Amino acid sequence: MPSTKKTVMFASAFLTCVCSFVLVCVVLGTQRWMSSEVRFSSTNSSVTVSLTYGLFVGTCEQFVDAGLQVSEKVFQVADNLSSTKAKSTITAIIIILVLSLLSSLLSSGFTCTNAVSNPYQTFLGPIGVYTWNSLCGILILITMILFPVNIEVNGLSVELARGCFPLLQNHIKSRHTYGYSYWIMLLIIFLNTASIIIIYFYDHARYSKKKEQERPIENAPKDVILF
């Protein structure tokens, strides 16, 4: 059976890993990644399309000139994209988030196992926790970079606006606001970092204690050791 200190430390890390897992699910399932206002010009008027979307579903509204709302639609993100780059990037983001979800699940399993037992395999101990939490944090960071790239470089919001209203003509300007679904990923990175720090402190304390136990033998007189 593990010591009380080990149980407490790994149980704390398990809690942060579970919270990370839940938040990745929230990020995948919600549509508050981005709110955009995309402005287009036509022959006799200007049109503004207001978008709120996530990785799978979104809503769009069209406003003409002085704010007259023309229509509101619910759309599927993948169906509204004609650009291969934008669609491929969205697909890559989804795959990366699924991988980070699996990493969080494995981190939860490793910390739970260590909280209730002493695994013989080295990789099932702190090394495994470091590995899976680091991987999850890196994947989330990649996602946080890829999504803005898709917005700014591939014109994701413009593509989605034209998918909702195909008759839109010249794009003038866009204004973007990142939603809570995007910023939650910072909290996921923080939770993964917290898990690593908790286990590091436990591992460091255990290593220091082991060295303290070995020191009396190292410092003992040779004749005592021979005796």
Side-chain angles (χ1 to χ4, degrees):
M1 288 296 292
S3 64
T4 303
K5 183 177 181 180
K6 181 182 179 182
T7 299
V8 171
M9 297 293 275
F10 274 94
S12 301
F14 171 72
L15 183 61
T16 59
C17 291
V18 170
C19 290
S20 174
F21 177 82
V22 172
L23 289 177
V24 176
C25 292
V26 170
V27 167
L28 276 167
T30 54
Q31 64 180 47
R32 294 288 177 178
W33 279 66
M34 174 60 65
S35 295
S36 296
E37 289 185 1
V38 188
R39 194 169 182 82
F40 297 87
S41 65
S42 59
T43 306
N44 299 318
S45 62
S46 62
V47 176
T48 300
V49 178
S50 179
L51 300 157
T52 301
Y53 59 91
L55 298 177
F56 301 100
V57 182
T59 58
C60 56
E61 301 173 82
Q62 184 177 359
F63 299 89
V64 179
D65 288 338
L68 176 64
Q69 182 178 346
V70 176
S71 56
E72 180 179 356
K73 294 182 181 179
V74 176
F75 62 89
Q76 298 293 322
V77 171
D79 295 339
N80 271 29
L81 292 176
S82 57
S83 169
T84 305
K85 287 183 178 179
K87 187 179 290 188
S88 299
T89 306
I90 284 288
T91 303
I93 289 171
I94 293 170
I95 292 171
I96 290 170
L97 283 175
V98 170
L99 291 175
S100 68
L101 191 68
L102 293 174
S103 299
S104 292
L105 186 61
L106 286 168
S107 298
S108 301
F110 276 46
T111 50
C112 182
T113 300
N114 281 272
V116 298
S117 65
N118 293 312
Y120 291 107
Q121 293 88 347
T122 304
F123 188 72
L124 293 178
I127 293 176
V129 178
Y130 296 150
T131 301
W132 295 117
N133 277 282
S134 298
L135 180 60
C136 181
I138 291 169
L139 291 173
I140 293 295
L141 183 60
I142 292 171
T143 301
M144 293 192 73
I145 294 170
L146 281 179
F147 189 71
V149 167
N150 208 17
I151 298 291
E152 302 297 336
V153 178
N154 298 329
L156 180 61
S157 293
V158 178
E159 284 279 335
L160 292 175
R162 285 188 169 133
C164 284
F165 308 104
L167 298 179
L168 296 173
Q169 296 178 10
N170 300 320
H171 172 236
I172 302 174
K173 63 178 180 179
S174 302
R175 185 169 64 86
H176 308 297
T177 304
Y178 292 87
Y180 69 83
S181 299
Y182 179 82
W183 296 115
I184 279 175
M185 289 189 285
L186 286 175
L187 182 56
I188 296 172
I189 294 174
F190 171 78
L191 288 170
N192 282 280
T193 304
S195 299
I196 292 172
I197 291 172
I198 290 169
I199 302 307
Y200 171 79
F201 277 122
Y202 163 75
D203 203 26
H204 181 71
R206 185 186 63 170
Y207 178 78
S208 298
K209 185 177 179 180
K210 185 178 178 181
K211 284 296 183 182
E212 287 291 336
Q213 290 173 345
E214 293 175 353
R215 192 169 298 164
I217 298 176
E218 293 174 356
N219 296 334
K222 292 183 179 181
D223 55 344
V224 175
I225 295 174
L226 290 172
F227 178 76

